[in-house]
Amino acid sequence: PPASSVAPAASSERLRVAGPAFFGEGCSIEPDVWVGAGVAIGPGASVGRGARLNRVVVTDGAQVLAGEELEDCVVFQNGDLSTRVVIPV
């Protein structure tokens, strides 16, 4: 699907969005994910089941692990997925 912005309080079976968020083209969102305000998920990024994100940037192709709770950070990942870095902001 193409990139899209979501207005506050959008939701579905798979995803709850409490604040403005951006979803890049081709990103993958597992079920039961909660997205707070100020979240951007880059193209090709993935978010695991049950993750909770608030004021987080997930860069292109990076992964958020299942059940992970992240706030006020940026998630980077190298091309072969062997190194993942979460940087607080």
Side-chain angles (χ1 to χ4, degrees):
S4 64
S5 295
V6 177
S11 66
S12 72
E13 276 184 46
R14 295 177 54 113
L15 174 67
R16 291 184 182 192
V17 180
F22 173 81
F23 299 88
E25 187 171 344
C27 69
S28 171
I29 310 293
E30 292 287 322
D32 304 321
V33 169
W34 182 85
V35 173
V39 172
I41 300 172
S46 64
V47 180
R49 177 183 288 271
R52 297 178 58 84
L53 308 175
N54 197 41
R55 296 181 307 274
V56 172
V57 174
V58 182
T59 61
D60 300 4
Q63 295 179 332
V64 173
L65 305 176
E68 195 164 31
E69 295 186 19
L70 298 173
E71 187 169 53
D72 299 321
C73 65
V74 179
V75 180
F76 294 93
Q77 196 143 8
N78 71 353
D80 67 4
L81 303 180
S82 64
T83 303
R84 179 174 168 265
V85 179
V86 177
I87 299 173
V89 291

Coordinates of all heavy atoms in Angstrom, one line a residue:
P1 N 0.8 -1.2 0.0 CA 0.0 0.0 0.0 C 0.9 1.3 0.0 O 2.0 1.2 0.5 CB -0.8 -0.1 1.3 CG -0.1 -1.1 2.1 CD 0.8 -2.0 1.2
P2 N 0.3 2.4 -0.5 CA 1.1 3.6 -0.5 C 1.2 4.2 0.9 O 0.5 3.8 1.8 CB 0.3 4.5 -1.4 CG -1.1 3.9 -1.4 CD -0.9 2.5 -1.2
A3 N 2.2 5.1 1.0 CA 2.4 5.8 2.3 C 1.1 6.5 2.7 O 0.3 7.0 1.8 CB 3.5 6.8 2.2
S4 N 0.8 6.7 4.0 CA -0.4 7.4 4.4 C -0.2 8.0 5.8 O 0.7 7.5 6.6 CB -1.6 6.4 4.4 OG -1.4 5.4 5.4
S5 N -0.9 9.0 6.1 CA -1.0 9.6 7.4 C -2.3 9.2 8.0 O -3.3 9.1 7.3 CB -0.9 11.1 7.3 OG 0.3 11.5 6.8
V6 N -2.3 9.1 9.3 CA -3.5 8.7 10.0 C -3.9 9.8 11.0 O -3.0 10.2 11.8 CB -3.4 7.3 10.7 CG1 -4.6 6.9 11.5 CG2 -3.0 6.2 9.7
A7 N -5.1 10.2 11.0 CA -5.5 11.2 12.0 C -5.7 10.6 13.4 O -5.7 9.4 13.5 CB -6.9 11.7 11.5
P8 N -5.8 11.4 14.4 CA -5.9 10.9 15.7 C -7.1 9.9 15.9 O -8.1 10.1 15.2 CB -6.1 12.1 16.6 CG -5.6 13.2 15.8 CD -5.7 12.8 14.4
A9 N -7.0 9.0 16.8 CA -8.1 8.1 17.2 C -8.6 7.1 16.0 O -9.7 6.8 16.0 CB -9.2 8.8 17.8
A10 N -7.7 6.8 15.1 CA -8.1 5.7 14.1 C -7.8 4.4 14.7 O -7.0 4.2 15.6 CB -7.2 5.9 12.9
S11 N -8.5 3.4 14.3 CA -8.3 2.0 14.8 C -8.8 1.0 13.9 O -9.6 1.2 13.0 CB -8.8 1.8 16.2 OG -10.2 1.9 16.2
S12 N -8.4 -0.2 14.1 CA -8.9 -1.4 13.4 C -8.5 -2.6 14.2 O -8.0 -2.5 15.3 CB -8.2 -1.5 12.0 OG -6.8 -1.9 12.2
E13 N -8.9 -3.8 13.8 CA -8.5 -5.0 14.5 C -7.0 -5.1 14.7 O -6.6 -5.6 15.8 CB -8.9 -6.2 13.7 CG -10.4 -6.6 13.9 CD -10.7 -7.9 13.2 OE1 -9.9 -8.9 13.3 OE2 -11.7 -8.0 12.5
R14 N -6.3 -4.7 13.8 CA -4.8 -4.9 13.8 C -4.1 -3.7 14.5 O -3.0 -3.9 15.0 CB -4.3 -4.9 12.4 CG -4.7 -6.1 11.6 CD -4.2 -6.1 10.2 NE -2.8 -5.9 10.2 CZ -1.9 -6.8 9.7 NH1 -2.3 -7.9 9.3 NH2 -0.6 -6.5 9.8
L15 N -4.7 -2.5 14.5 CA -3.9 -1.4 14.9 C -4.8 -0.3 15.6 O -5.9 -0.1 15.1 CB -3.3 -0.8 13.6 CG -2.6 0.6 13.6 CD1 -1.3 0.4 14.4 CD2 -2.3 1.1 12.2
R16 N -4.2 0.2 16.7 CA -4.9 1.4 17.3 C -4.0 2.6 17.2 O -2.8 2.5 17.6 CB -5.2 1.0 18.8 CG -6.2 0.0 19.0 CD -6.5 -0.2 20.4 NE -7.5 -1.3 20.5 CZ -8.1 -1.6 21.6 NH1 -7.9 -0.9 22.7 NH2 -9.0 -2.5 21.6
V17 N -4.5 3.7 16.7 CA -3.7 4.9 16.6 C -4.4 6.0 17.4 O -5.5 6.4 17.2 CB -3.6 5.3 15.1 CG1 -2.8 6.6 15.0 CG2 -3.1 4.2 14.2
A18 N -3.6 6.4 18.5 CA -4.2 7.4 19.4 C -3.8 8.8 19.0 O -4.3 9.8 19.5 CB -3.6 7.1 20.8
G19 N -2.8 9.0 18.1 CA -2.4 10.3 17.7 C -2.0 10.4 16.2 O -1.9 9.3 15.6
P20 N -1.7 11.5 15.7 CA -1.2 11.6 14.3 C 0.0 10.7 14.1 O 0.9 10.7 14.9 CB -0.8 13.1 14.1 CG -1.6 13.8 15.2 CD -1.7 12.8 16.4
A21 N 0.0 10.0 13.0 CA 1.1 9.0 12.7 C 1.3 9.0 11.2 O 0.4 9.3 10.4 CB 0.8 7.7 13.2
F22 N 2.5 8.5 10.8 CA 2.8 8.3 9.4 C 3.2 6.9 9.1 O 4.0 6.3 9.9 CB 3.9 9.2 8.9 CG 4.4 9.0 7.5 CD1 3.7 9.5 6.4 CD2 5.5 8.2 7.3 CE1 4.1 9.2 5.1 CE2 5.9 7.9 6.0 CZ 5.3 8.4 4.9
F23 N 2.7 6.2 8.1 CA 3.0 4.9 7.8 C 3.6 4.8 6.3 O 2.9 5.2 5.4 CB 1.8 4.0 7.9 CG 1.2 3.9 9.2 CD1 0.3 4.9 9.6 CD2 1.7 3.0 10.2 CE1 -0.2 4.9 10.9 CE2 1.2 3.0 11.5 CZ 0.2 4.0 11.8
G24 N 4.9 4.4 6.2 CA 5.5 4.4 4.9 C 5.0 3.2 4.0 O 4.5 2.2 4.5
E25 N 5.2 3.4 2.8 CA 4.8 2.4 1.8 C 5.5 1.1 2.1 O 6.7 1.0 2.4 CB 5.2 2.9 0.4 CG 4.7 2.0 -0.7 CD 4.9 2.5 -2.1 OE1 5.2 3.8 -2.2 OE2 4.9 1.8 -3.0
G26 N 4.7 0.0 2.1 CA 5.2 -1.3 2.3 C 5.6 -1.7 3.7 O 6.2 -2.7 4.0
C27 N 5.3 -0.8 4.7 CA 5.6 -1.2 6.1 C 4.6 -2.3 6.5 O 3.5 -2.5 6.0 CB 5.5 0.0 7.0 SG 3.9 0.7 7.3
S28 N 5.0 -3.1 7.5 CA 4.3 -4.2 8.0 C 3.9 -4.0 9.4 O 4.8 -3.8 10.3 CB 5.1 -5.5 7.8 OG 4.5 -6.6 8.4
I29 N 2.6 -4.1 9.8 CA 2.2 -3.9 11.1 C 1.4 -5.2 11.6 O 0.4 -5.6 11.0 CB 1.2 -2.7 11.3 CG1 1.7 -1.5 10.6 CG2 0.8 -2.5 12.7 CD1 2.9 -0.9 11.2
E30 N 2.0 -5.9 12.6 CA 1.3 -7.1 13.1 C 0.1 -6.7 14.0 O -0.1 -5.5 14.3 CB 2.3 -7.8 14.0 CG 3.5 -8.4 13.3 CD 3.1 -9.6 12.4 OE1 2.2 -10.4 12.9 OE2 3.6 -9.8 11.3
P31 N -0.8 -7.7 14.3 CA -2.0 -7.4 15.1 C -1.6 -6.8 16.5 O -0.5 -7.0 17.0 CB -2.7 -8.7 15.2 CG -2.1 -9.5 14.1 CD -0.7 -9.0 13.9
D32 N -2.6 -6.1 17.1 CA -2.6 -5.6 18.4 C -1.5 -4.6 18.7 O -1.0 -4.5 19.8 CB -2.4 -6.8 19.4 CG -3.5 -7.8 19.3 OD1 -4.7 -7.4 19.0 OD2 -3.2 -9.0 19.3
V33 N -1.1 -3.8 17.7 CA -0.1 -2.8 17.9 C -0.9 -1.5 18.3 O -1.9 -1.1 17.8 CB 0.7 -2.5 16.6 CG1 1.5 -1.3 16.6 CG2 1.5 -3.8 16.3
W34 N -0.3 -0.7 19.2 CA -0.8 0.6 19.7 C 0.2 1.6 19.2 O 1.4 1.5 19.5 CB -1.0 0.6 21.2 CG -1.5 1.9 21.7 CD1 -2.8 2.2 21.8 CD2 -0.8 3.0 22.2 NE1 -3.0 3.5 22.3 CE2 -1.7 4.0 22.5 CE3 0.6 3.3 22.3 CZ2 -1.4 5.3 23.0 CZ3 0.9 4.5 22.8 CH2 0.0 5.5 23.2
V35 N -0.3 2.7 18.6 CA 0.6 3.8 18.1 C 0.0 5.1 18.7 O -1.1 5.4 18.5 CB 0.5 3.9 16.5 CG1 1.2 5.1 16.1 CG2 1.1 2.6 15.9
G36 N 0.9 5.7 19.5 CA 0.6 7.0 20.1 C 0.8 8.1 19.2 O 1.0 8.0 17.9
A37 N 1.0 9.3 19.7 CA 1.2 10.5 18.9 C 2.6 10.6 18.4 O 3.6 10.1 19.0 CB 0.9 11.8 19.8
G38 N 2.8 11.3 17.3 CA 4.2 11.5 16.8 C 5.0 10.3 16.4 O 6.2 10.3 16.6
V39 N 4.3 9.3 15.8 CA 5.0 8.1 15.3 C 5.1 8.2 13.8 O 4.2 8.5 13.1 CB 4.2 6.9 15.8 CG1 4.8 5.6 15.2 CG2 4.2 6.8 17.3
A40 N 6.3 7.8 13.3 CA 6.6 7.6 11.9 C 7.2 6.3 11.6 O 8.2 6.0 12.2 CB 7.5 8.7 11.4
I41 N 6.6 5.5 10.8 CA 7.1 4.1 10.5 C 7.5 4.2 9.0 O 6.7 4.4 8.1 CB 6.0 3.1 10.7 CG1 5.7 3.1 12.2 CG2 6.5 1.7 10.3 CD1 4.5 2.2 12.6
G42 N 8.8 4.0 8.7 CA 9.3 4.1 7.4 C 9.0 3.0 6.5 O 8.5 1.9 6.9
P43 N 9.2 3.3 5.2 CA 8.9 2.2 4.1 C 9.7 1.0 4.5 O 10.9 1.0 4.8 CB 9.5 2.9 2.9 CG 9.4 4.3 3.1 CD 9.7 4.5 4.6
G44 N 9.0 -0.2 4.3 CA 9.6 -1.5 4.5 C 9.9 -1.8 6.0 O 10.4 -2.9 6.3
A45 N 9.6 -0.9 6.9 CA 9.8 -1.2 8.3 C 8.7 -2.2 8.8 O 7.7 -2.4 8.2 CB 9.7 0.0 9.2
S46 N 9.0 -2.9 9.9 CA 8.0 -3.8 10.5 C 7.8 -3.6 12.0 O 8.8 -3.3 12.7 CB 8.4 -5.3 10.2 OG 9.6 -5.6 10.9
V47 N 6.6 -3.8 12.4 CA 6.3 -3.6 13.8 C 5.6 -4.9 14.3 O 4.6 -5.4 13.8 CB 5.3 -2.4 14.1 CG1 5.0 -2.3 15.5 CG2 5.9 -1.2 13.5
G48 N 6.2 -5.6 15.3 CA 5.8 -6.9 15.8 C 4.5 -6.8 16.6 O 4.1 -5.7 17.2
R49 N 3.8 -7.9 16.7 CA 2.6 -8.1 17.5 C 2.7 -7.5 18.9 O 3.6 -7.7 19.6 CB 2.2 -9.5 17.6 CG 0.9 -9.8 18.4 CD 0.7 -11.3 18.6 NE 0.2 -11.9 17.3 CZ -1.0 -12.0 16.9 NH1 -2.0 -11.5 17.7 NH2 -1.4 -12.5 15.8
G50 N 1.7 -6.7 19.2 CA 1.5 -6.1 20.6 C 2.5 -5.0 20.9 O 2.6 -4.6 22.1
A51 N 3.3 -4.5 20.0 CA 4.2 -3.4 20.3 C 3.4 -2.2 20.6 O 2.3 -2.0 20.2 CB 5.1 -3.2 19.1
R52 N 4.1 -1.3 21.4 CA 3.5 0.0 21.8 C 4.5 1.1 21.5 O 5.6 1.0 22.0 CB 3.1 0.0 23.3 CG 2.1 -1.0 23.6 CD 1.7 -1.0 25.1 NE 1.3 0.3 25.6 CZ 0.0 0.8 25.5 NH1 -0.9 0.1 24.9 NH2 -0.3 2.0 26.0
L53 N 4.1 2.1 20.7 CA 5.0 3.1 20.2 C 4.4 4.5 20.5 O 3.2 4.7 20.3 CB 5.2 3.0 18.7 CG 5.6 1.7 18.2 CD1 5.7 1.7 16.6 CD2 7.0 1.3 18.7
N54 N 5.2 5.4 21.1 CA 4.8 6.7 21.4 C 6.0 7.7 21.1 O 7.1 7.5 21.7 CB 4.3 6.9 22.8 CG 3.5 8.1 23.0 OD1 2.7 8.5 22.2 ND2 3.8 8.8 24.2
R55 N 5.8 8.6 20.2 CA 6.8 9.6 19.8 C 8.1 8.8 19.3 O 9.2 9.0 19.9 CB 7.1 10.6 20.9 CG 6.0 11.5 21.2 CD 6.2 12.5 22.3 NE 6.7 11.9 23.5 CZ 6.0 11.4 24.5 NH1 4.7 11.4 24.4 NH2 6.6 11.0 25.6
V56 N 7.9 7.9 18.3 CA 9.0 7.1 17.9 C 9.1 7.2 16.3 O 8.1 7.3 15.6 CB 8.7 5.6 18.2 CG1 9.7 4.6 17.6 CG2 8.7 5.4 19.7
V57 N 10.3 7.2 15.8 CA 10.6 7.1 14.4 C 11.2 5.7 14.2 O 12.3 5.4 14.8 CB 11.5 8.2 13.9 CG1 11.9 8.0 12.5 CG2 10.9 9.5 14.1
V58 N 10.6 4.9 13.3 CA 11.2 3.6 12.9 C 11.7 3.8 11.4 O 10.9 4.1 10.5 CB 10.1 2.5 12.9 CG1 10.7 1.2 12.6 CG2 9.5 2.4 14.3
T59 N 13.0 3.8 11.2 CA 13.6 4.1 9.9 C 13.3 3.0 8.9 O 12.9 1.9 9.3 CB 15.1 4.4 10.0 OG1 15.7 3.2 10.5 CG2 15.4 5.6 11.0
D60 N 13.5 3.4 7.6 CA 13.2 2.5 6.5 C 13.9 1.1 6.8 O 15.1 1.0 7.1 CB 13.8 3.0 5.2 CG 13.3 4.4 4.8 OD1 12.4 4.9 5.6 OD2 13.6 4.9 3.8
G61 N 13.0 0.1 6.7 CA 13.5 -1.3 6.9 C 13.8 -1.8 8.3 O 14.2 -2.9 8.5
A62 N 13.7 -0.9 9.3 CA 14.0 -1.3 10.7 C 12.8 -2.2 11.3 O 11.7 -2.2 10.7 CB 14.2 -0.1 11.5
Q63 N 13.1 -2.8 12.4 CA 12.1 -3.7 13.0 C 11.9 -3.3 14.5 O 12.8 -3.0 15.2 CB 12.6 -5.2 13.1 CG 12.8 -5.8 11.7 CD 13.3 -7.2 11.8 OE1 14.1 -7.6 12.8 NE2 13.0 -8.1 10.9
V64 N 10.6 -3.3 14.8 CA 10.2 -3.2 16.2 C 9.8 -4.6 16.6 O 9.0 -5.2 16.0 CB 9.1 -2.2 16.4 CG1 8.6 -2.2 17.9 CG2 9.5 -0.8 16.0
L65 N 10.4 -5.1 17.7 CA 10.1 -6.5 18.1 C 8.7 -6.7 18.7 O 8.2 -5.7 19.3 CB 11.2 -6.9 19.1 CG 12.6 -6.8 18.6 CD1 13.6 -7.1 19.7 CD2 12.8 -7.6 17.3
A66 N 8.2 -7.9 18.7 CA 6.9 -8.2 19.3 C 6.9 -7.8 20.8 O 7.9 -8.1 21.5 CB 6.6 -9.6 19.1
G67 N 5.9 -7.1 21.2 CA 5.7 -6.8 22.6 C 6.6 -5.7 23.1 O 6.5 -5.3 24.3
E68 N 7.4 -5.1 22.2 CA 8.3 -4.1 22.6 C 7.6 -2.8 22.9 O 6.6 -2.4 22.2 CB 9.4 -3.8 21.5 CG 10.6 -3.0 21.9 CD 11.7 -3.2 20.9 OE1 11.5 -3.4 19.7 OE2 12.8 -3.1 21.4
E69 N 8.0 -2.0 23.9 CA 7.4 -0.7 24.3 C 8.4 0.3 24.1 O 9.4 0.3 24.8 CB 6.8 -0.7 25.7 CG 5.7 -1.7 25.8 CD 5.0 -1.7 27.2 OE1 5.1 -0.6 27.9 OE2 4.3 -2.6 27.5
L70 N 8.2 1.2 23.2 CA 9.2 2.3 22.9 C 8.6 3.6 23.0 O 7.5 3.8 22.6 CB 9.8 2.1 21.5 CG 10.5 0.8 21.2 CD1 10.9 0.6 19.7 CD2 11.8 0.7 22.1
E71 N 9.4 4.6 23.5 CA 8.9 6.0 23.6 C 10.1 6.9 23.5 O 11.2 6.6 23.9 CB 8.3 6.2 25.0 CG 7.6 7.5 25.2 CD 6.8 7.6 26.4 OE1 7.3 7.3 27.5 OE2 5.6 7.9 26.3
D72 N 9.9 8.0 22.8 CA 10.9 9.0 22.6 C 12.2 8.5 22.1 O 13.3 8.7 22.7 CB 11.1 9.8 23.9 CG 9.9 10.5 24.4 OD1 9.2 11.0 23.6 OD2 9.7 10.5 25.6
C73 N 12.2 7.8 20.9 CA 13.4 7.2 20.4 C 13.3 7.1 18.9 O 12.3 7.2 18.3 CB 13.8 5.9 21.0 SG 12.6 4.6 20.7
V74 N 14.5 6.7 18.3 CA 14.6 6.4 16.8 C 15.2 5.0 16.7 O 16.1 4.7 17.4 CB 15.5 7.4 16.1 CG1 15.6 7.1 14.6 CG2 15.0 8.8 16.3
V75 N 14.6 4.2 15.9 CA 15.0 2.8 15.7 C 15.7 2.7 14.3 O 15.0 3.0 13.3 CB 13.8 1.8 15.8 CG1 14.3 0.4 15.5 CG2 13.1 1.9 17.1
F76 N 17.0 2.3 14.3 CA 17.7 2.1 13.0 C 18.1 0.6 12.9 O 18.2 -0.1 13.9 CB 19.0 2.9 13.1 CG 18.9 4.4 13.1 CD1 18.9 5.0 14.3 CD2 18.8 5.1 11.9 CE1 18.8 6.4 14.4 CE2 18.7 6.5 12.0 CZ 18.7 7.1 13.2
Q77 N 18.2 0.2 11.7 CA 18.7 -1.2 11.4 C 19.5 -1.2 10.1 O 19.1 -0.6 9.2 CB 17.5 -2.1 11.3 CG 17.8 -3.6 11.5 CD 16.8 -4.3 12.2 OE1 15.7 -3.8 12.5 NE2 17.0 -5.5 12.6
N78 N 20.6 -2.0 10.2 CA 21.4 -2.0 8.9 C 20.7 -2.9 7.9 O 19.7 -3.6 8.2 CB 22.8 -2.5 9.2 CG 22.9 -3.9 9.6 OD1 21.9 -4.6 9.8 ND2 24.1 -4.4 9.7
G79 N 21.2 -2.9 6.7 CA 20.5 -3.6 5.6 C 20.4 -5.1 5.7 O 19.4 -5.7 5.3
D80 N 21.3 -5.8 6.4 CA 21.2 -7.2 6.6 C 20.5 -7.6 7.9 O 20.5 -8.8 8.2 CB 22.6 -7.9 6.5 CG 23.5 -7.6 7.6 OD1 23.1 -6.9 8.5 OD2 24.7 -8.0 7.5
L81 N 20.0 -6.7 8.6 CA 19.2 -6.9 9.8 C 20.0 -7.5 11.0 O 19.5 -7.9 12.0 CB 18.0 -7.8 9.6 CG 17.0 -7.2 8.5 CD1 15.9 -8.2 8.3 CD2 16.5 -5.8 8.8
S82 N 21.4 -7.5 10.9 CA 22.2 -8.1 11.9 C 22.4 -7.1 13.1 O 22.7 -7.5 14.2 CB 23.5 -8.6 11.4 OG 24.3 -7.5 10.9
T83 N 22.3 -5.8 12.8 CA 22.5 -4.8 13.9 C 21.3 -3.9 14.0 O 20.8 -3.3 13.0 CB 23.8 -3.9 13.5 OG1 24.9 -4.8 13.4 CG2 24.0 -2.9 14.6
R84 N 20.8 -3.7 15.2 CA 19.6 -2.9 15.4 C 20.0 -1.9 16.5 O 20.6 -2.3 17.5 CB 18.4 -3.7 15.9 CG 17.2 -3.0 16.2 CD 16.1 -4.0 16.4 NE 14.9 -3.3 17.0 CZ 14.7 -3.2 18.3 NH1 15.5 -3.8 19.2 NH2 13.6 -2.6 18.7
V85 N 19.7 -0.6 16.3 CA 20.1 0.4 17.3 C 18.8 1.2 17.7 O 18.1 1.7 16.8 CB 21.2 1.4 16.7 CG1 21.5 2.4 17.7 CG2 22.4 0.6 16.3
V86 N 18.6 1.4 19.0 CA 17.5 2.2 19.4 C 18.2 3.4 20.1 O 18.9 3.2 21.1 CB 16.6 1.5 20.4 CG1 15.5 2.4 20.9 CG2 15.9 0.3 19.7
I87 N 17.9 4.6 19.6 CA 18.6 5.8 20.2 C 17.5 6.7 20.8 O 16.6 7.2 20.2 CB 19.2 6.6 19.0 CG1 20.3 5.8 18.4 CG2 19.8 7.9 19.6 CD1 20.9 6.4 17.2
P88 N 17.7 6.9 22.2 CA 16.7 7.8 22.8 C 16.9 9.3 22.3 O 18.0 9.7 22.0 CB 17.2 7.8 24.3 CG 18.1 6.6 24.4 CD 18.7 6.4 23.0
V89 N 15.8 10.0 22.3 CA 15.9 11.4 21.9 C 15.2 12.3 22.9 O 14.5 11.9 23.7 CB 15.2 11.6 20.5 CG1 16.0 11.0 19.4 CG2 13.8 11.1 20.4

